[in-house]
Amino acid sequence: MELNMLKNDFRLISLKILTDVFKTQRWAKEAIEDSIENIDIEHNDIKKVYELTYGILRNKNLIDYHLSRYIKKPVNKIELQNILRIGYYQINYMDSIP
């Protein structure tokens, strides 16, 4: 996959936003606006960034509970935690993505 395509992937943008929010305690809206203002992605992908980011923030405790049933060792890296949350949320909540 081309690097430019990866840079514009809504999952990676959401990962960057979530990591920023959890590391700095910054408002999600500010992190989203800073992350998508210079990125040329389709309107549909921007909606996916919002859905993924806010969906994970709203359901974080439930998602973490379900993930803890499958993860035996504690996950210490926030980036890895967010990757797992994104995967879980996308599979269980985002019907628009096959």
Side-chain angles (χ1 to χ4, degrees):
M1 199 178 273
E2 221 176 280
L3 182 60
N4 194 28
M5 289 175 65
L6 284 175
K7 183 176 137 184
N8 291 337
D9 185 75
F10 73 93
R11 293 169 198 88
L12 289 176
I13 296 167
S14 298
L15 175 62
K16 179 181 175 228
I17 293 165
L18 288 167
T19 300
D20 185 25
V21 168
F22 287 119
K23 278 186 175 179
T24 65
Q25 301 295 311
R26 187 174 178 200
W27 290 102
K29 182 179 180 190
E30 292 174 5
I32 290 172
E33 288 172 356
D34 286 350
S35 294
I36 64 174
E37 71 180 9
N38 295 325
I39 298 173
D40 183 30
I41 58 176
E42 298 177 21
H43 178 69
N44 194 33
D45 284 347
I46 293 172
K47 290 190 325 189
K48 290 176 187 172
V49 168
Y50 275 92
E51 179 183 352
L52 197 54
T53 303
Y54 281 114
I56 289 170
L57 292 172
R58 270 192 311 272
N59 297 294
K60 178 189 169 294
N61 291 336
L62 181 63
I63 292 169
D64 287 351
Y65 167 74
H66 286 292
L67 289 173
S68 72
R69 294 171 37 203
Y70 301 102
I71 299 170
K72 302 300 178 207
K73 292 183 181 180
V75 179
N76 296 325
K77 291 195 173 232
I78 193 71
E79 292 87 358
L80 181 55
Q81 287 177 327
N82 287 329
I83 290 169
L84 294 170
R85 290 173 181 142
I86 288 169
Y88 182 88
Y89 187 87
Q90 187 175 338
I91 290 169
N92 291 290
Y93 293 94
M94 294 180 78
D95 297 334
S96 63
I97 300 173

